[in-house]
Amino acid sequence: MDYLEYLNEDQHARQRPARRILLDRSDPLNQFDEITFRDRFRMHKENALEIITLLEPRLSSLSQRGRPVSNQLQVLITLRFLACGIFHRETGDLCGVSEPTVCRIVHKVSSAICELRSLYIKFPDAAGQANYKVQFYEYGHFPGVIGCIDGCHVPIKCPSTPDAEEYRNRKNCFSINVQGVCTPNLEFSNIVARWKGATHDSRIFLNSSLCAQFESGQHSGLLLGDSGYGQSNYLFTPHLNPTTAEQQRYNRAHIRTRGMIERMFGVWKTRFQCLRNTIRFKPRRCCKVIIATAVLHNYLKQHGCPDLPMEDQDDADVPMVAEAANDQRGLAHRAAFTVQHFSI
């Protein structure tokens, strides 16, 4: 064997090292496996892809210069923020974009999600109300209920405006007071997210379009609220000092049924951790983020995404005494309702 043959044989004998495959760090769908993705985005990859497809017609790249951020990455950046509520710098480091770009993307995508509100947050029609009455009754044995209503505070940073103190709630924190109405499926059938933290729950409801709809007789059913709301002929509150067996049975059924909205808020905040942390936007942008999470919550519930294990909930909010006096006709209606449905 001459020298050249020896060299060739030696080269063939040595194994070529395996080619290194570099992951695209700007694409979390490829970067993470299914379990890791679910832990970071609080949903499955399949759900994220569906949301990307849903939002793509409403989005475009922020800029065509340099390396524009793809629509897919814009949605994933926003979902990451909503799921974790981390600082934009950490989100940017994860996806390879700058902190100001993350801020613009979150605002833009949240606005696009809010445009889908009417498609995914709907108050039930006549057929839906009849179905809800059956489901609520099976759960809590309270007849005629089509929704449970309550307020929920979402913390925000102190606004740099003259009315900042109006955002301070009873727990001495700055917040948006969100009014939600839940379905038996733990979805939002109505949401109002524009009132300052110091605003009374009853005031929010009395100034809402939902209240006007009930007043005009558009809905044939009952809402259940805590003692922070005024009793009326369509919004039923518990007896503050039950003295009879009927009133006690009424209160027990009321508490069981109305507990659904507390569960819904818990599921909602567990999936979207930004609602537990302080949202560091201006109040108007905070409201858009809140609405966007409610839309996504309903979307995921309607498309079979399983709920995450419940985490420790916030401290229970003590119901406020109703700001407006109870409607005397409403009190009489509740008394007759109690005798009719909760007597043995």
PDB file of all heavy atoms in Angstrom, residues 102-131:
ATOM      1  N   VAL A 102     -41.819  44.190  21.920  1.00  0.00           N
ATOM      2  CA  VAL A 102     -42.764  43.343  22.653  1.00  0.00           C
ATOM      3  C   VAL A 102     -43.959  44.165  23.114  1.00  0.00           C
ATOM      4  O   VAL A 102     -45.115  43.742  23.000  1.00  0.00           O
ATOM      5  CB  VAL A 102     -42.069  42.672  23.856  1.00  0.00           C
ATOM      6  CG1 VAL A 102     -43.104  41.938  24.721  1.00  0.00           C
ATOM      7  CG2 VAL A 102     -41.014  41.699  23.387  1.00  0.00           C
ATOM      8  N   CYS A 103     -43.698  45.357  23.643  1.00  0.00           N
ATOM      9  CA  CYS A 103     -44.773  46.216  24.121  1.00  0.00           C
ATOM     10  C   CYS A 103     -45.754  46.547  22.999  1.00  0.00           C
ATOM     11  O   CYS A 103     -46.975  46.460  23.182  1.00  0.00           O
ATOM     12  CB  CYS A 103     -44.188  47.491  24.718  1.00  0.00           C
ATOM     13  SG  CYS A 103     -45.409  48.584  25.468  1.00  0.00           S
ATOM     14  N   ARG A 104     -45.224  46.913  21.839  1.00  0.00           N
ATOM     15  CA  ARG A 104     -46.089  47.249  20.702  1.00  0.00           C
ATOM     16  C   ARG A 104     -46.867  46.028  20.231  1.00  0.00           C
ATOM     17  O   ARG A 104     -48.058  46.117  19.885  1.00  0.00           O
ATOM     18  CB  ARG A 104     -45.259  47.830  19.560  1.00  0.00           C
ATOM     19  CG  ARG A 104     -44.654  49.201  19.851  1.00  0.00           C
ATOM     20  CD  ARG A 104     -44.151  49.851  18.574  1.00  0.00           C
ATOM     21  NE  ARG A 104     -43.077  49.096  17.968  1.00  0.00           N
ATOM     22  CZ  ARG A 104     -41.778  49.262  18.239  1.00  0.00           C
ATOM     23  NH1 ARG A 104     -41.413  50.161  19.150  1.00  0.00           N
ATOM     24  NH2 ARG A 104     -40.857  48.544  17.636  1.00  0.00           N
ATOM     25  N   ILE A 105     -46.212  44.866  20.225  1.00  0.00           N
ATOM     26  CA  ILE A 105     -46.866  43.650  19.752  1.00  0.00           C
ATOM     27  C   ILE A 105     -48.012  43.259  20.677  1.00  0.00           C
ATOM     28  O   ILE A 105     -49.113  42.924  20.221  1.00  0.00           O
ATOM     29  CB  ILE A 105     -45.843  42.505  19.640  1.00  0.00           C
ATOM     30  CG1 ILE A 105     -44.928  42.735  18.432  1.00  0.00           C
ATOM     31  CG2 ILE A 105     -46.539  41.151  19.526  1.00  0.00           C
ATOM     32  CD1 ILE A 105     -43.784  41.748  18.325  1.00  0.00           C
ATOM     33  N   VAL A 106     -47.773  43.292  21.989  1.00  0.00           N
ATOM     34  CA  VAL A 106     -48.812  42.902  22.944  1.00  0.00           C
ATOM     35  C   VAL A 106     -50.035  43.799  22.784  1.00  0.00           C
ATOM     36  O   VAL A 106     -51.182  43.324  22.795  1.00  0.00           O
ATOM     37  CB  VAL A 106     -48.272  42.955  24.382  1.00  0.00           C
ATOM     38  CG1 VAL A 106     -49.410  42.805  25.401  1.00  0.00           C
ATOM     39  CG2 VAL A 106     -47.233  41.862  24.597  1.00  0.00           C
ATOM     40  N   HIS A 107     -49.809  45.102  22.632  1.00  0.00           N
ATOM     41  CA  HIS A 107     -50.930  46.021  22.463  1.00  0.00           C
ATOM     42  C   HIS A 107     -51.677  45.738  21.164  1.00  0.00           C
ATOM     43  O   HIS A 107     -52.915  45.692  21.132  1.00  0.00           O
ATOM     44  CB  HIS A 107     -50.425  47.456  22.476  1.00  0.00           C
ATOM     45  CG  HIS A 107     -51.477  48.478  22.179  1.00  0.00           C
ATOM     46  ND1 HIS A 107     -52.614  48.619  22.938  1.00  0.00           N
ATOM     47  CD2 HIS A 107     -51.578  49.392  21.174  1.00  0.00           C
ATOM     48  CE1 HIS A 107     -53.364  49.585  22.444  1.00  0.00           C
ATOM     49  NE2 HIS A 107     -52.762  50.061  21.369  1.00  0.00           N
ATOM     50  N   LYS A 108     -50.933  45.504  20.104  1.00  0.00           N
ATOM     51  CA  LYS A 108     -51.547  45.293  18.790  1.00  0.00           C
ATOM     52  C   LYS A 108     -52.334  43.985  18.743  1.00  0.00           C
ATOM     53  O   LYS A 108     -53.493  43.951  18.287  1.00  0.00           O
ATOM     54  CB  LYS A 108     -50.438  45.279  17.729  1.00  0.00           C
ATOM     55  CG  LYS A 108     -50.914  44.939  16.325  1.00  0.00           C
ATOM     56  CD  LYS A 108     -49.715  44.859  15.402  1.00  0.00           C
ATOM     57  CE  LYS A 108     -50.109  44.407  14.016  1.00  0.00           C
ATOM     58  NZ  LYS A 108     -48.934  44.268  13.132  1.00  0.00           N
ATOM     59  N   VAL A 109     -51.758  42.904  19.229  1.00  0.00           N
ATOM     60  CA  VAL A 109     -52.435  41.608  19.182  1.00  0.00           C
ATOM     61  C   VAL A 109     -53.616  41.582  20.146  1.00  0.00           C
ATOM     62  O   VAL A 109     -54.668  41.031  19.831  1.00  0.00           O
ATOM     63  CB  VAL A 109     -51.434  40.471  19.474  1.00  0.00           C
ATOM     64  CG1 VAL A 109     -52.153  39.124  19.494  1.00  0.00           C
ATOM     65  CG2 VAL A 109     -50.328  40.449  18.434  1.00  0.00           C
ATOM     66  N   SER A 110     -53.466  42.215  21.310  1.00  0.00           N
ATOM     67  CA  SER A 110     -54.587  42.279  22.257  1.00  0.00           C
ATOM     68  C   SER A 110     -55.770  43.012  21.630  1.00  0.00           C
ATOM     69  O   SER A 110     -56.925  42.606  21.802  1.00  0.00           O
ATOM     70  CB  SER A 110     -54.158  42.980  23.548  1.00  0.00           C
ATOM     71  OG  SER A 110     -53.173  42.230  24.227  1.00  0.00           O
ATOM     72  N   SER A 111     -55.487  44.082  20.897  1.00  0.00           N
ATOM     73  CA  SER A 111     -56.556  44.810  20.215  1.00  0.00           C
ATOM     74  C   SER A 111     -57.235  43.931  19.168  1.00  0.00           C
ATOM     75  O   SER A 111     -58.469  43.966  19.013  1.00  0.00           O
ATOM     76  CB  SER A 111     -55.993  46.076  19.555  1.00  0.00           C
ATOM     77  OG  SER A 111     -55.450  46.952  20.521  1.00  0.00           O
ATOM     78  N   ALA A 112     -56.442  43.136  18.457  1.00  0.00           N
ATOM     79  CA  ALA A 112     -57.015  42.227  17.455  1.00  0.00           C
ATOM     80  C   ALA A 112     -57.897  41.172  18.108  1.00  0.00           C
ATOM     81  O   ALA A 112     -58.959  40.817  17.583  1.00  0.00           O
ATOM     82  CB  ALA A 112     -55.893  41.566  16.652  1.00  0.00           C
ATOM     83  N   ILE A 113     -57.475  40.669  19.259  1.00  0.00           N
ATOM     84  CA  ILE A 113     -58.288  39.676  19.968  1.00  0.00           C
ATOM     85  C   ILE A 113     -59.587  40.312  20.454  1.00  0.00           C
ATOM     86  O   ILE A 113     -60.661  39.699  20.391  1.00  0.00           O
ATOM     87  CB  ILE A 113     -57.497  39.081  21.141  1.00  0.00           C
ATOM     88  CG1 ILE A 113     -56.265  38.324  20.637  1.00  0.00           C
ATOM     89  CG2 ILE A 113     -58.375  38.147  21.967  1.00  0.00           C
ATOM     90  CD1 ILE A 113     -55.323  37.866  21.728  1.00  0.00           C
ATOM     91  N   CYS A 114     -59.510  41.550  20.929  1.00  0.00           N
ATOM     92  CA  CYS A 114     -60.717  42.242  21.408  1.00  0.00           C
ATOM     93  C   CYS A 114     -61.754  42.401  20.306  1.00  0.00           C
ATOM     94  O   CYS A 114     -62.960  42.453  20.593  1.00  0.00           O
ATOM     95  CB  CYS A 114     -60.352  43.604  21.983  1.00  0.00           C
ATOM     96  SG  CYS A 114     -59.484  43.542  23.575  1.00  0.00           S
ATOM     97  N   GLU A 115     -61.312  42.476  19.052  1.00  0.00           N
ATOM     98  CA  GLU A 115     -62.246  42.604  17.945  1.00  0.00           C
ATOM     99  C   GLU A 115     -63.118  41.357  17.778  1.00  0.00           C
ATOM    100  O   GLU A 115     -64.166  41.403  17.126  1.00  0.00           O
ATOM    101  CB  GLU A 115     -61.477  42.876  16.647  1.00  0.00           C
ATOM    102  CG  GLU A 115     -60.775  44.236  16.622  1.00  0.00           C
ATOM    103  CD  GLU A 115     -59.939  44.426  15.374  1.00  0.00           C
ATOM    104  OE1 GLU A 115     -59.979  43.524  14.509  1.00  0.00           O
ATOM    105  OE2 GLU A 115     -59.244  45.455  15.267  1.00  0.00           O
ATOM    106  N   LEU A 116     -62.700  40.248  18.383  1.00  0.00           N
ATOM    107  CA  LEU A 116     -63.463  39.001  18.308  1.00  0.00           C
ATOM    108  C   LEU A 116     -64.437  38.854  19.466  1.00  0.00           C
ATOM    109  O   LEU A 116     -65.082  37.804  19.603  1.00  0.00           O
ATOM    110  CB  LEU A 116     -62.495  37.807  18.305  1.00  0.00           C
ATOM    111  CG  LEU A 116     -61.445  37.775  17.191  1.00  0.00           C
ATOM    112  CD1 LEU A 116     -60.472  36.633  17.432  1.00  0.00           C
ATOM    113  CD2 LEU A 116     -62.101  37.652  15.834  1.00  0.00           C
ATOM    114  N   ARG A 117     -64.552  39.890  20.281  1.00  0.00           N
ATOM    115  CA  ARG A 117     -65.369  39.795  21.490  1.00  0.00           C
ATOM    116  C   ARG A 117     -66.807  39.374  21.201  1.00  0.00           C
ATOM    117  O   ARG A 117     -67.364  38.492  21.869  1.00  0.00           O
ATOM    118  CB  ARG A 117     -65.339  41.139  22.211  1.00  0.00           C
ATOM    119  CG  ARG A 117     -66.262  41.237  23.408  1.00  0.00           C
ATOM    120  CD  ARG A 117     -66.129  42.578  24.087  1.00  0.00           C
ATOM    121  NE  ARG A 117     -67.045  42.709  25.214  1.00  0.00           N
ATOM    122  CZ  ARG A 117     -67.022  43.729  26.063  1.00  0.00           C
ATOM    123  NH1 ARG A 117     -66.142  44.693  25.910  1.00  0.00           N
ATOM    124  NH2 ARG A 117     -67.891  43.772  27.065  1.00  0.00           N
ATOM    125  N   SER A 118     -67.416  39.978  20.207  1.00  0.00           N
ATOM    126  CA  SER A 118     -68.828  39.686  19.931  1.00  0.00           C
ATOM    127  C   SER A 118     -69.035  38.264  19.434  1.00  0.00           C
ATOM    128  O   SER A 118     -70.157  37.734  19.502  1.00  0.00           O
ATOM    129  CB  SER A 118     -69.380  40.675  18.897  1.00  0.00           C
ATOM    130  OG  SER A 118     -68.664  40.572  17.674  1.00  0.00           O
ATOM    131  N   LEU A 119     -67.982  37.611  18.955  1.00  0.00           N
ATOM    132  CA  LEU A 119     -68.103  36.241  18.457  1.00  0.00           C
ATOM    133  C   LEU A 119     -68.031  35.220  19.581  1.00  0.00           C
ATOM    134  O   LEU A 119     -68.631  34.136  19.485  1.00  0.00           O
ATOM    135  CB  LEU A 119     -66.998  35.947  17.429  1.00  0.00           C
ATOM    136  CG  LEU A 119     -67.013  36.775  16.144  1.00  0.00           C
ATOM    137  CD1 LEU A 119     -65.821  36.407  15.273  1.00  0.00           C
ATOM    138  CD2 LEU A 119     -68.317  36.572  15.385  1.00  0.00           C
ATOM    139  N   TYR A 120     -67.307  35.543  20.654  1.00  0.00           N
ATOM    140  CA  TYR A 120     -67.034  34.539  21.677  1.00  0.00           C
ATOM    141  C   TYR A 120     -67.593  34.887  23.051  1.00  0.00           C
ATOM    142  O   TYR A 120     -67.620  34.023  23.926  1.00  0.00           O
ATOM    143  CB  TYR A 120     -65.521  34.292  21.769  1.00  0.00           C
ATOM    144  CG  TYR A 120     -64.978  33.662  20.516  1.00  0.00           C
ATOM    145  CD1 TYR A 120     -64.326  34.425  19.553  1.00  0.00           C
ATOM    146  CD2 TYR A 120     -65.163  32.307  20.263  1.00  0.00           C
ATOM    147  CE1 TYR A 120     -63.848  33.851  18.380  1.00  0.00           C
ATOM    148  CE2 TYR A 120     -64.694  31.720  19.092  1.00  0.00           C
ATOM    149  CZ  TYR A 120     -64.043  32.500  18.162  1.00  0.00           C
ATOM    150  OH  TYR A 120     -63.588  31.923  16.995  1.00  0.00           O
ATOM    151  N   ILE A 121     -68.014  36.121  23.272  1.00  0.00           N
ATOM    152  CA  ILE A 121     -68.650  36.481  24.538  1.00  0.00           C
ATOM    153  C   ILE A 121     -70.056  36.958  24.205  1.00  0.00           C
ATOM    154  O   ILE A 121     -70.252  38.084  23.738  1.00  0.00           O
ATOM    155  CB  ILE A 121     -67.865  37.568  25.289  1.00  0.00           C
ATOM    156  CG1 ILE A 121     -66.437  37.095  25.571  1.00  0.00           C
ATOM    157  CG2 ILE A 121     -68.562  37.920  26.600  1.00  0.00           C
ATOM    158  CD1 ILE A 121     -65.582  38.115  26.314  1.00  0.00           C
ATOM    159  N   LYS A 122     -71.039  36.089  24.407  1.00  0.00           N
ATOM    160  CA  LYS A 122     -72.412  36.389  24.028  1.00  0.00           C
ATOM    161  C   LYS A 122     -73.346  36.061  25.187  1.00  0.00           C
ATOM    162  O   LYS A 122     -73.183  35.029  25.855  1.00  0.00           O
ATOM    163  CB  LYS A 122     -72.838  35.553  22.809  1.00  0.00           C
ATOM    164  CG  LYS A 122     -71.992  35.749  21.562  1.00  0.00           C
ATOM    165  CD  LYS A 122     -72.478  34.810  20.470  1.00  0.00           C
ATOM    166  CE  LYS A 122     -71.640  34.929  19.209  1.00  0.00           C
ATOM    167  NZ  LYS A 122     -72.100  33.984  18.152  1.00  0.00           N
ATOM    168  N   PHE A 123     -74.336  36.934  25.394  1.00  0.00           N
ATOM    169  CA  PHE A 123     -75.378  36.599  26.351  1.00  0.00           C
ATOM    170  C   PHE A 123     -76.358  35.666  25.651  1.00  0.00           C
ATOM    171  O   PHE A 123     -76.654  35.853  24.470  1.00  0.00           O
ATOM    172  CB  PHE A 123     -76.091  37.853  26.857  1.00  0.00           C
ATOM    173  CG  PHE A 123     -76.673  37.680  28.227  1.00  0.00           C
ATOM    174  CD1 PHE A 123     -75.860  37.739  29.349  1.00  0.00           C
ATOM    175  CD2 PHE A 123     -78.017  37.434  28.401  1.00  0.00           C
ATOM    176  CE1 PHE A 123     -76.377  37.560  30.616  1.00  0.00           C
ATOM    177  CE2 PHE A 123     -78.557  37.251  29.658  1.00  0.00           C
ATOM    178  CZ  PHE A 123     -77.734  37.320  30.776  1.00  0.00           C
ATOM    179  N   PRO A 124     -76.862  34.643  26.341  1.00  0.00           N
ATOM    180  CA  PRO A 124     -77.673  33.624  25.661  1.00  0.00           C
ATOM    181  C   PRO A 124     -78.979  34.174  25.112  1.00  0.00           C
ATOM    182  O   PRO A 124     -79.584  35.082  25.679  1.00  0.00           O
ATOM    183  CB  PRO A 124     -77.934  32.594  26.768  1.00  0.00           C
ATOM    184  CG  PRO A 124     -77.820  33.373  28.044  1.00  0.00           C
ATOM    185  CD  PRO A 124     -76.742  34.389  27.788  1.00  0.00           C
ATOM    186  N   ASP A 125     -79.402  33.600  23.995  1.00  0.00           N
ATOM    187  CA  ASP A 125     -80.716  33.912  23.441  1.00  0.00           C
ATOM    188  C   ASP A 125     -81.774  33.114  24.206  1.00  0.00           C
ATOM    189  O   ASP A 125     -81.481  32.477  25.221  1.00  0.00           O
ATOM    190  CB  ASP A 125     -80.758  33.615  21.948  1.00  0.00           C
ATOM    191  CG  ASP A 125     -80.365  32.176  21.631  1.00  0.00           C
ATOM    192  OD1 ASP A 125     -80.346  31.331  22.563  1.00  0.00           O
ATOM    193  OD2 ASP A 125     -80.078  31.880  20.462  1.00  0.00           O
ATOM    194  N   ALA A 126     -83.022  33.115  23.714  1.00  0.00           N
ATOM    195  CA  ALA A 126     -84.111  32.462  24.435  1.00  0.00           C
ATOM    196  C   ALA A 126     -83.843  30.974  24.632  1.00  0.00           C
ATOM    197  O   ALA A 126     -84.059  30.420  25.720  1.00  0.00           O
ATOM    198  CB  ALA A 126     -85.426  32.682  23.689  1.00  0.00           C
ATOM    199  N   ALA A 127     -83.368  30.310  23.573  1.00  0.00           N
ATOM    200  CA  ALA A 127     -83.093  28.874  23.686  1.00  0.00           C
ATOM    201  C   ALA A 127     -81.946  28.616  24.655  1.00  0.00           C
ATOM    202  O   ALA A 127     -81.991  27.681  25.468  1.00  0.00           O
ATOM    203  CB  ALA A 127     -82.768  28.293  22.307  1.00  0.00           C
ATOM    204  N   GLY A 128     -80.921  29.453  24.576  1.00  0.00           N
ATOM    205  CA  GLY A 128     -79.787  29.301  25.481  1.00  0.00           C
ATOM    206  C   GLY A 128     -80.160  29.562  26.927  1.00  0.00           C
ATOM    207  O   GLY A 128     -79.683  28.877  27.844  1.00  0.00           O
ATOM    208  N   GLN A 129     -81.045  30.541  27.156  1.00  0.00           N
ATOM    209  CA  GLN A 129     -81.480  30.830  28.519  1.00  0.00           C
ATOM    210  C   GLN A 129     -82.250  29.656  29.108  1.00  0.00           C
ATOM    211  O   GLN A 129     -82.073  29.320  30.287  1.00  0.00           O
ATOM    212  CB  GLN A 129     -82.329  32.104  28.524  1.00  0.00           C
ATOM    213  CG  GLN A 129     -81.521  33.369  28.244  1.00  0.00           C
ATOM    214  CD  GLN A 129     -82.379  34.615  28.172  1.00  0.00           C
ATOM    215  OE1 GLN A 129     -83.490  34.632  28.664  1.00  0.00           O
ATOM    216  NE2 GLN A 129     -81.846  35.668  27.549  1.00  0.00           N
ATOM    217  N   ALA A 130     -83.092  29.017  28.312  1.00  0.00           N
ATOM    218  CA  ALA A 130     -83.821  27.842  28.800  1.00  0.00           C
ATOM    219  C   ALA A 130     -82.859  26.721  29.171  1.00  0.00           C
ATOM    220  O   ALA A 130     -83.038  26.034  30.195  1.00  0.00           O
ATOM    221  CB  ALA A 130     -84.809  27.367  27.744  1.00  0.00           C
ATOM    222  N   ASN A 131     -81.813  26.549  28.364  1.00  0.00           N
ATOM    223  CA  ASN A 131     -80.819  25.513  28.645  1.00  0.00           C
ATOM    224  C   ASN A 131     -80.023  25.844  29.903  1.00  0.00           C
ATOM    225  O   ASN A 131     -79.754  24.967  30.738  1.00  0.00           O
ATOM    226  CB  ASN A 131     -79.882  25.375  27.448  1.00  0.00           C
ATOM    227  CG  ASN A 131     -78.903  24.229  27.604  1.00  0.00           C
ATOM    228  OD1 ASN A 131     -79.248  23.174  28.136  1.00  0.00           O
ATOM    229  ND2 ASN A 131     -77.686  24.428  27.157  1.00  0.00           N
TER     230      ASN A 131
END
